[in-house]
Amino acid sequence: MIIKYTAPLRGELSIPGDKSISHRSIMFGALADGTTEVTNFLTGADCLSTIACFRQMGIDITLKEESRGAHVLVHGRGLHGLNAPSDILDAGNSGTTVRLLSGILAGQAFNSTITGDASIQKRPMKRIMTPLLAMNADISSSHGNGCAPLLIRGKKLRGTHYDSPVASAQVKSCVLLAGLYADSVTSVTEPAVSRNHSELMLRYFGADVRTGTDAENTPKDNAHTGFTVSISPEPVLTGQKVRVPGDISSAAYFIAAALLVPGSELLLKNVGINPTRDGMLRVCKAMGADITLLNEDHTGAEPCADLLVRSSNLKAVEIGGDLIPTLIDELPILAVLAAFADGTTVIRDAAELRVKESDRITVMTENLTRIGCPVEATPDGMIITGGKSLHGMAIDPHKDHRIAMSFAVAALACDGEMDILDADIVNISYPGFYEDLEALCRE
């Protein structure tokens, strides 16, 4: 796909629903008693994979497309209401589906196999297998390489405390979901706080979830006790109404576009501003971005606000430490911002980028170099020297939706045209992305 727009971004945009919250609304709704009603559900391929898996296990789910997002009804059957799937569960390209659903499957009264596409079958699953095995789960990698397909023989689990070596919401959520089926309290401690959508929504559905020093089953001499969450087993979950906020990971591309294109002023409506996910906003403001939060709403389980973004002159920053878990998915677009900022930006402590849908450090380095940006890959990040004139080129996103969207934004500030190969890969998380971008550039 050839991309070259030159007009400032003007107008307003309602961002599609948050992918992480959309996944969880289906999962927790399926395990609840009664009907869960979800609005602004994201109909990207990843979330549809989650729906397909639960339908295979006997959950009645209806989905009606609306002008923005979808209206979904999940007719839950309770914590022990899932049926054995008649075939292998296919998560497509969704790591969230594989990792979170594995925690649920480990405690069932049936056996199952879950897999995904070629990319998923290369992504590391030992990080969830290790804590599940400690909980007495029977889970193995069918190829013996620590990757999907995963063979799971459901059995009674035991509660445990797990010290996670990585700050990962997927690992934490997998353990907490397995903890629903354990014989005692289960807890997880992370080296830093990862996104907390599972904790917030599980509590909203009726689970006994505790955090920090209030968490149960936690070694009190642990250096990271404040980053602990616990869950009590066998709760009665009740169907709820879930309004999915706009995904800040999707909003990030439009934030970046409005900052980079002179004369832009853009209002992004109803964006999630959960403090475990707002690292993108904090880094942009440190770079000198003109971003104002309007109409903040903290009344629901997930805080949200409208974001008013105006074009800005950006400066280089250092991105690392505890910020990384709050913006791990936004690092590709932040790397693009760094390419146009004055000075040298350092991204560190982000080795997790190497095991995403692609090796994002390598792929971003290759493509930024191609458009003329001086960049050096490091084992856990990148060193990016910005401020030079960059030019459009053919970009290979290596079938990674976030890489494709990042360079679509870069095209707006480059000389010449950008040709993005496999451009439709954005449908994984943002169907309609290019149409929205074009409309805002032609207001």
Side-chain angles (χ1 to χ4, degrees):
M1 171 178 283
I2 303 293
I3 294 180
K4 182 55 189 175
Y5 308 126
T6 58
L9 283 80
R10 295 282 184 172
E12 63 180 52
L13 177 66
S14 294
I15 296 295
D18 187 285
K19 186 154 74 88
S20 296
I21 297 171
S22 293
H23 279 300
R24 287 161 173 79
S25 69
I26 301 301
M27 294 182 183
F28 303 167
L31 302 180
D33 291 320
T35 298
T36 291
E37 181 181 9
V38 187
T39 53
N40 200 38
F41 179 85
L42 177 67
T43 54
D46 278 7
C47 297
L48 295 179
S49 292
T50 291
I51 286 180
C53 287
F54 278 92
R55 281 175 171 165
Q56 271 190 259
M57 292 185 287
I59 301 300
D60 180 11
I61 303 172
T62 61
L63 183 150
K64 181 181 179 182
E65 293 276 6
E66 296 182 337
S67 58
R68 275 288 168 180
H71 182 271
V72 180
L73 295 177
V74 184
H75 300 285
R77 299 179 57 185
L79 207 59
H80 298 279
L82 300 180
N83 296 331
S86 59
D87 202 352
I88 294 173
L89 296 169
D90 185 358
N93 189 247
S94 177
T96 300
T97 305
V98 174
R99 292 186 176 123
L100 271 62
L101 187 50
S102 291
I104 295 171
L105 294 172
Q108 299 304 312
F110 54 77
N111 300 337
S112 55
T113 299
I114 186 166
T115 190
D117 64 13
S119 171
I120 284 295
Q121 293 182 39
K122 296 177 183 177
R123 295 179 67 179
M125 296 299 161
K126 285 184 179 178
R127 56 181 54 188
I128 61 164
M129 295 171 66
T130 297
L132 289 177
L133 290 169
M135 297 178 72
N136 196 42
D138 188 342
I139 180 170
S140 60
S141 167
S142 65
H143 297 319
N145 61 354
C147 300
L150 299 178
L151 310 178
I152 303 172
R153 295 173 176 85
K155 59 191 299 189
K156 185 64 179 177
L157 304 178
R158 59 172 175 258
T160 189
H161 173 76
Y162 181 60
D163 271 309
S164 178
V166 295
S168 166
Q170 292 182 0
V171 173
K172 176 176 61 177
S173 298
C174 172
V175 176
L176 293 176
L177 288 170
L180 295 172
Y181 300 93
D183 61 4
S184 61
V185 172
T186 296
S187 59
V188 183
T189 298
E190 302 180 284
V193 177
S194 65
R195 60 183 66 176
N196 65 352
H197 302 306
S198 289
E199 297 96 297
L200 293 176
M201 193 179 292
L202 280 167
R203 191 180 290 125
Y204 181 58
F205 273 74
D208 181 8
V209 178
R210 306 186 189 187
T211 57
T213 55
D214 293 330
E216 296 188 45
N217 192 29
T218 306
K220 298 308 177 186
D221 59 349
N222 190 296
H224 300 291
T225 297
F227 304 149
T228 297
V229 57
S230 70
I231 192 165
S232 298
E234 297 291 337
V236 176
L237 304 180
T238 305
Q240 301 291 337
K241 291 186 176 182
V242 178
R243 168 71 179 174
V244 181
D247 195 329
I248 194 167
S249 295
S250 296
Y253 304 102
F254 296 94
I255 293 170
L259 293 175
L260 289 177
V261 180
S264 295
E265 181 172 301
L266 183 60
L267 184 66
L268 302 173
K269 304 282 287 184
N270 187 43
V271 179
I273 54 169
N274 183 310
T276 66
R277 290 281 300 283
D278 70 351
M280 170 78 182
L281 298 179
R282 284 181 270 166
V283 168
C284 284
K285 288 186 177 181
M287 297 177 81
D290 184 351
I291 302 175
T292 304
L293 273 62
L294 305 172
N295 304 318
E296 292 189 50
D297 183 355
H298 296 268
T299 59
E302 293 281 349
C304 60
D306 299 339
L307 308 181
L308 180 62
V309 188
R310 298 184 178 95
S311 56
S312 306
N313 295 321
L314 304 178
K315 61 180 185 292
V317 293
E318 185 167 323
I319 307 170
D322 290 350
L323 261 179
I324 294 298
T326 71
L327 48 63
I328 189 69
D329 287 336
E330 290 75 71
L331 283 173
I333 189 59
L334 282 169
V336 167
L337 284 179
F340 293 96
D342 290 331
T344 299
T345 292
V346 177
I347 299 173
R348 56 176 175 80
D349 304 320
E352 181 74 9
L353 288 176
R354 293 199 180 275
V355 291
K356 291 290 187 177
E357 285 84 337
S358 67
D359 177 343
R360 287 179 176 165
I361 292 174
T362 297
V363 177
M364 286 301 301
T365 299
E366 289 177 353
N367 286 312
L368 285 173
T369 300
R370 190 170 290 137
I371 66 174
C373 176
V375 55
E376 175 188 346
T378 65
D380 65 346
M382 291 169 274
I383 301 171
I384 303 166
T385 301
K388 299 181 181 297
S389 179
L390 305 180
H391 49 269
M393 293 289 289
I395 296 299
D396 184 355
H398 289 253
K399 299 189 182 301
D400 190 323
H401 55 126
R402 300 203 187 278
I403 305 290
M405 288 187 281
S406 294
F407 280 93
V409 171
L412 307 183
C414 284
D415 297 327
E417 297 178 334
M418 196 82 78
D419 184 4
I420 299 177
L421 308 178
D422 292 322
D424 289 345
I425 194 68
V426 303
N427 292 332
I428 288 290
S429 62
Y430 197 148
F433 169 75
Y434 299 112
E435 292 81 357
D436 283 349
L437 187 63
E438 180 176 8
L440 290 170
C441 290
R442 293 184 177 178
E443 284 284 339

